[in-house]
């Protein structure tokens, strides 16, 4: 069996160590108050939360998949009009923090709340993950196979199911997993829209009663649910297929009369996911008379920009190492490390934040309340976002090139840096961009772990909305969406680049 | 990258000018304060930056003691200090409500407030063990839409009646609501409280916090809501008092729905500058600030209130010692039993 390069092992083990911190913290809190913790677990309410959470995760995962997949297929493979405009609109909600979207809906429809509201907002907020992942895979699908199948008399739907789907499945299921875990760990939007899930109950245990044992008990159940979801995804993921690299000439499916169904649906999704939140923010900025504090605004902009940039690059590097180990060397340990990285993704940010407060203040005080500990927090929270984006591109680098390089006597490390990484680089950069824009929107862990006195656009937005100063909040929200919009648009452009390359041929 | 470095330089320039400014302001301090100026005072503030940053700036201007502030939710900060334990970098915890302070005091993480400072505030508004002191007062009020509510209820218990079904907004996960329910338990007993909470399960629309209730009353989603008084004034400041659609009022006859509560401060570290800070918050000028800028009740003698509500002594609230409101877990059990959280 081939052994992974030293650097890959070191980085992966480092990331694993960090990812296991929250789990260790939860174990300490759970065992410390074992009786109370068990009481908390075996309550009727736990069942109720289980039902609520399961319902929301399942429904958001399904709807985000259907919407994201349809958007991707329509904008890359059909002859729908304004395809590139719709592609941009499909990616944009990624730039809008889900709590901003929820506040936007609440301020237009004050009675908007409960399951349906949470489902809608989270679907809109997460479908871009599916859209981007599926788009990136779809443009690589070899259409020759589809044409052969068509000529053999298979209908469009069975071609989609039998030929196209297996080729996009790994990326698509990974993105759905991301959606499911996002929903499990979401707090802001869920709290605003008043739907009870495990994550909300965990936050409330801290907030209402400063009850760290009850919170830990609930968080451990959440962790078990996460493992179940990850196991399900593994079962149905399928193998990364190595498609032939030559991109054939692309035939766009003529929608015919169906475009009159597809077009309004795309417009509606864009209106709900991008239009309404932007309109809401515009109303905020018109109402009320807060003047903009430019000094604070610039400082927050710099804080967001520098943290998101740093986090993107660092987390991208760690994720690349883990993906290399898990996908290209396929050892049991590699797979375990990847699973562990995913497992902590569904933990609420407040749990990860408090775990790092506990270890940081008491064991490593020299990095406590510095940017480094905050970056470690982001690493634990968002490693999977990068893994989802980076795994497929790394898997797609043909093994034959690597074997060739090694048969010529090139050391493994050199092969890695000269052959594998350069080919996978667009995917790695996409992963970094995805992480950066997620970090931009993050709030609870940032509040707990930031160096004292450092502000980001998200923390400023929080300060303003807490005191109902929506006119003060508006510029921060706008700027946040614009800043997060840059990586979102870049991701979309990158995903679609292959299409234009084919057209130019 | 060059862009990055330019911004770094910009930051440095900013920092230098701040230091220079602080230097200039140092010249106006009393000699006693000058010994305290070496170390920075670290404050964890659960009170919002928009509400208290001015006071902290004034404190630095008056004493020359540099301040570092961490703003976050009060409960999150309390949890943070609990996790930090003895190694907490915090000197001061400035809290939105008494419950969070109580939890730190119970864990033994707060130092005793000097008696001469405790004496400045009526003893009902501070911890019995002297581990935290109240800084400003707030009262529970009924926020209502005058178009929909023509006959005002006499008691918070009236809201349990069938005619209020679906009309009232409450925030069961919010600390101020929970202390009110604790007070109800202490004054009226468990049974009556549970009955009221169960009625709320049918009558009330549930919100995350006071501000959301006020928004809902303003926009006509609910007809009335139970909130802290100053949210209404804050909203009035944001949109203009004349544009407020809702009103606030109080219940009658020592009703528990009129509970008086405080925002307070505790010392995680009893350094001289931490004591100086508590002293400053109880000074004439800081108390005047809370009276006029955050529309709260000042707690020291001789500072008049600004808002048009009854004076604190005349609020028809039950006479309860705030330290008696620390039985939070029993309250949460009741709220849970009623199915509100």
């Amino acid at each position: 069996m081939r052994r992974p390069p030293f650097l890959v092992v070191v980085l992966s083990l480092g990331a694993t160590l960090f990812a296991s911190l929250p789990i260790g913290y939860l174990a300490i809190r759970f065992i410390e108050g074992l009786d109370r913790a068990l009481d908390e677990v075996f309550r009727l309410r736990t069942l109720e939360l289980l039902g609520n959470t399961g319902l929301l995760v399942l429904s958001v995962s399904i709807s985000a998949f259907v919407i994201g997949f349809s958007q991707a297929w329509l904008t890359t493979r059909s002859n729908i009009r304004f395809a590139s405009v719709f592609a941009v609109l499909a990616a944009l909600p990624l730039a809008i923090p889900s709590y901003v979207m929820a506040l936007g809906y609440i301020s237009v429809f004050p009675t908007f709340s409960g399951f349906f509201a949470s489902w809608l907002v989270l679907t809109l907020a997460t479908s871009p993950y599916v859209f981007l992942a599926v788009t990136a895979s779809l443009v690589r699908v070899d259409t020759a196979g589809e044409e052969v199948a068509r000529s053999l008399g298979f209908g469009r739907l069975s071609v989609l199911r039998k030929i196209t789907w297996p080729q996009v499945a790994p990326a698509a299921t990974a993105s759905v997993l991301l959606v499911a875990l996002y929903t499990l760990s979401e707090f802001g939007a869920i709290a605003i829209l008043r739907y009870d899930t495990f994550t909300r109950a965990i936050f409330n245990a801290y907030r209402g009663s400063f009850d760290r044992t009850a919170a830990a008990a609930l968080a451990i159940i959440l962790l078990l649910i996460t493992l179940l979801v990850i196991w399900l995804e593994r079962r149905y993921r399928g193998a990364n297929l190595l498609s032939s690299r030559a991109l054939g000439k692309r035939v766009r499916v003529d929608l015919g009369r169906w475009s009159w169904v597809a077009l309004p649906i795309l417009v509606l999704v864009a209106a709900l996911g991008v239009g309404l939140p932007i309109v809401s923010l515009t109303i905020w900025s018109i109402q009320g008379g807060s003047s903009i504090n430019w000094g604070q605004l610039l400082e927050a902009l710099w804080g967001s920009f520098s943290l998101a940039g740093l986090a993107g690059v660092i987390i991208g590097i760690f994720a690349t190492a883990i993906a290399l180990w898990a996908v290209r060397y396929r050892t049991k340990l590699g797979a375990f490390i990847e699973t562990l990285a995913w497992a902590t993704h569904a933990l609420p940010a407040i749990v990860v934040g408090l775990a790092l407060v506990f270890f940081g203040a008491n064991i490593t005080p020299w990095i406590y309340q510095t940017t480094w500990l905050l970056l470690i927090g982001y690493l634990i929270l968002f490693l999977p976002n990068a893994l989802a984006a980076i795994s497929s591109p790394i898997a797609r680098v043909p093994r034959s090139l690597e074997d060739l390089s090694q048969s010529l006597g090139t050391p493994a490390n050199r092969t890695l840096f000269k052959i594998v990484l350069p080919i996978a680089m667009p995917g790695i950069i996409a992963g970094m961009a995805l992480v950066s824009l997620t970090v931009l929107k993050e709030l609870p862990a940032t509040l707990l772990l930031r160096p004292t006195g450092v502000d980001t656009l998200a923390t400023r937005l929080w300060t303003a909305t807490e005191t109902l100063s929506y006119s003060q909040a508006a510029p921060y929200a706008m700027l946040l969406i614009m800043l997060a919009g840059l990586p979102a648009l870049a991701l979309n452009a990158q995903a679609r680049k292959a299409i234009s390359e084919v057209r130019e041929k | 990258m060059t862009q990055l470095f330019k911004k770094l330089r910009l930051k440095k320039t900013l920092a230098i000018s701040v230091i220079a400014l602080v230097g200039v302001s140092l010249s106006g301090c009393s000699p006693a304060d000058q010994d305290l100026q070496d170390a920075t005072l670290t404050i964890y503030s659960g009170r919002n930056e928009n509400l208290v940053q001015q006071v902290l700036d004034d404190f630095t201007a008056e004493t020359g003691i540099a301040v570092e502030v961490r703003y976050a939710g009060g409960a999150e900060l309390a949890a943070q200090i609990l996790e930090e334990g003895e190694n907490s970098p915090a000197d001061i915890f400035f809290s939105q409500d008494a419950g969070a302070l109580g939890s730190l005091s119970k864990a033994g993480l707060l130092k005793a407030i000097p008696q001469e400072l405790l004496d400045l505030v009526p003893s009902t508004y501070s911890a019995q063990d002297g581990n935290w002191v109240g800084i400003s007062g707030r009262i529970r009020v009924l926020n209502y839409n005058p178009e929909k509510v023509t006959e005002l209820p006499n008691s918070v218990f009236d809201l349990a009646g069938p005619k209020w079904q679906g009309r009232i907004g409450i925030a069961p996960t919010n600390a101020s609501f929970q202390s009110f329910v604790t007070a109800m338990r202490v004054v009226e007993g468990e049974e009556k409280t549970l009955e009221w909470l169960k009625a709320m399960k049918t009558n009330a629309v549930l919100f995350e916090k006071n501000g959301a209730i006020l928004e809902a009353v303003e926009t006509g989603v609910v007809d009335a809501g139970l909130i802290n008084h100053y949210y209404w004034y804050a909203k009035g400041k944001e949109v203009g008092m004349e544009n407020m659609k809702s009103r606030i009022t109080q219940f009658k006859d020592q009703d528990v729905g009129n509970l008086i509560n405080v925002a307070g401060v505790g010392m995680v570290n009893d350094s001289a500058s931490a004591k100086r800070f508590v002293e400053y918050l109880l000074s004439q000028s800081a108390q005047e600030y809370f009276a006029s800028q955050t529309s709260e009740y000042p707690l020291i003698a001789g500072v008049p209130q600004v808002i048009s509500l009854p004076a604190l002594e005349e609020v028809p609230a039950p006479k309860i010692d705030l330290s008696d409101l620390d039985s939070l877990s029993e309250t949460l059990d009741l709220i849970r039993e009623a199915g509100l959280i």
Side-chain angles (χ1 to χ4, degrees), chain A residues 25 29 40 43 45 110-111 187 191-192 194 196 200 203-212 214 287-290 296 298-299 301-302 305-306 350 354-355 357-358 361-363 368-369 446-455 460 462-472, chain B residues 3-4 7-8 10-11 14 42-44 48-51 68-89 97 99-100 103 173 175 178 205-209 211-212 214-216 219 221 231 234-235 238-239 328-329 332-333 336 340-341:
Chain A
Y25 164 81
R29 287 280 167 267
E40 187 67 31
R43 279 199 342 193
R45 187 172 139 76
T111 50
F187 172 68
I192 294 163
R194 309 201 304 273
D196 253 342
R200 190 173 175 217
F203 268 80
N204 284 340
Y206 285 119
R207 287 187 168 174
S209 44
F210 314 98
D211 189 345
R212 294 173 291 165
Q287 286 172 342
S290 301
Q296 282 184 355
L298 284 176
E299 212 177 298
L301 184 64
W302 166 245
F305 177 80
S306 53
I350 193 172
L354 285 176
V357 166
F358 175 68
N362 295 303
I363 297 172
Y368 186 55
Q369 294 184 353
T446 310
L447 282 175
L448 279 170
L449 297 174
R450 61 177 166 164
T452 299
V454 165
D455 269 299
R460 283 280 164 211
W462 170 81
T463 303
T465 51
E466 280 290 293
T467 48
L468 307 178
S469 317
Y470 289 118
S471 59
Q472 187 193 337
Chain B
Q3 199 81 26
L4 261 163
K7 287 201 175 166
L8 274 175
L10 179 76
K11 248 198 139 180
L14 265 172
T42 303
I43 298 169
Y44 283 18
N48 193 279
E49 183 170 356
N50 285 342
L51 300 179
E68 255 192 358
V69 208
R70 266 190 101 70
Y71 291 104
E76 281 87 343
L77 284 176
Q80 181 158 16
I81 296 173
L82 287 171
E83 294 298 358
E84 291 167 346
E86 295 298 323
N87 293 317
S88 178
D97 75 314
S103 76
T173 58
Q178 291 171 356
V205 180
L206 310 185
F207 294 88
E208 189 68 9
K209 43 195 173 190
L214 173 61
E215 290 287 319
T219 49
V221 176
Y231 285 91
K235 174 88 182 165
E238 163 91 359
V239 301
L328 196 63
S329 54
L332 285 169
D333 286 345
R336 276 195 197 122
L340 290 171
I341 52 174

Side-chain angles (χ1 to χ4, degrees), chain B residues 15-51:
Chain B
I16 291 171
S17 42
V18 168
I19 292 167
L21 266 174
V22 171
V24 169
S25 61
L26 286 189
S27 44
C29 311
S30 71
D33 287 335
Q34 238 140 58
D35 305 335
L36 305 177
Q37 288 158 9
D38 304 334
T40 307
L41 185 70
T42 303
I43 298 169
Y44 283 18
S45 174
R47 304 211 59 188
N48 193 279
E49 183 170 356
N50 285 342
L51 300 179

Side-chain angles (χ1 to χ4, degrees), chain A residues 424-458:
Chain A
M425 197 43 86
I428 295 172
I429 291 174
M432 290 176 174
L434 202 58
V435 167
S436 290
L437 79 88
T438 316
V439 165
L440 282 174
K441 300 184 289 180
E442 208 289 328
L443 181 63
T446 310
L447 282 175
L448 279 170
L449 297 174
R450 61 177 166 164
T452 299
V454 165
D455 269 299
T456 67
L457 294 170

Side-chain angles (χ1 to χ4, degrees), chain A residues 73-150:
Chain A
W73 189 84
L74 285 169
T75 56
T76 54
R77 304 300 300 279
S78 83
N79 69 338
I80 196 141
R81 271 175 291 174
F82 316 113
S84 50
V85 176
F86 282 121
V88 167
L89 289 172
L92 260 188
L94 207 54
I96 306 174
S98 43
Y99 49 87
V100 170
M101 207 183 268
L103 279 175
Y105 270 86
I106 281 276
S107 64
V108 178
F109 308 107
T111 50
F112 195 65
S113 67
F115 169 74
F116 176 76
S118 311
W119 167 77
L120 181 67
V121 165
L122 286 181
T123 298
L124 293 169
T126 55
S127 57
Y129 286 111
V130 182
F131 166 77
L132 286 173
V134 174
T135 300
S137 296
L138 268 183
V139 296
R140 283 195 173 72
V141 168
D142 188 359
T143 49
E146 294 180 12
E147 277 160 46
V148 171
R150 285 285 287 159

